[in-house]
Amino acid sequence: MATKVFALILNYNNQVDTVEAARFLLASDIPANTQLVIIDNSGVDQKKYFNRELKDIVYISSIGNAGFAAGNNLGINYAIKHGATHILLLNPDVRVPK
């Protein structure tokens, strides 16, 4: 079975840090088939913003601030349904080194 990594970043009204965390992750030595997923817990659809700033991401919007665990569970459920072998949870203030 091939490795399929899903990297999840939970956003809550912190678009700048979320995009920066994603950019650091994408510039690192992660496997080429890693799927980046932004879970937006703000309750406001910001898909256009994130799609403009980041390419080839999955954007999931919650209906509001469901909290840390519930927000991440949205992304985890998505990843499992799409064949994840590994799931990486990141906070928006994380900067992944190369």
Side-chain angles (χ1 to χ4, degrees):
M1 176 187 227
T3 300
K4 192 166 183 183
V5 179
F6 283 74
L8 313 179
I9 303 175
L10 182 64
N11 174 65
Y12 179 73
N13 295 330
N14 196 357
Q15 299 88 340
V16 173
D17 274 347
T18 300
V19 167
E20 198 64 14
R23 287 185 176 144
F24 269 81
L25 178 67
L26 295 172
S28 73
D29 291 332
I30 59 172
N33 63 339
T34 300
Q35 177 64 64
L36 178 60
V37 180
I38 304 292
I39 305 103
D40 194 356
N41 231 6
S42 68
V44 177
D45 188 349
Q46 301 178 77
K47 185 176 186 174
K48 287 182 184 178
Y49 172 80
F50 284 107
N51 282 338
R52 183 180 68 239
E53 296 296 323
L54 301 165
K55 304 298 179 218
D56 300 322
I57 67 162
V58 172
Y59 175 86
I60 300 172
S61 181
S62 68
I63 58 172
N65 185 4
F68 180 80
N72 277 310
N73 281 339
L74 287 173
I76 291 168
N77 288 332
Y78 176 89
I80 290 169
K81 287 179 185 174
H82 289 86
T85 60
H86 297 77
I87 299 172
L88 173 65
L89 302 177
L90 295 170
N91 284 330
D93 60 349
V94 169
R95 302 300 179 255
V96 176
K98 183 93 173 123

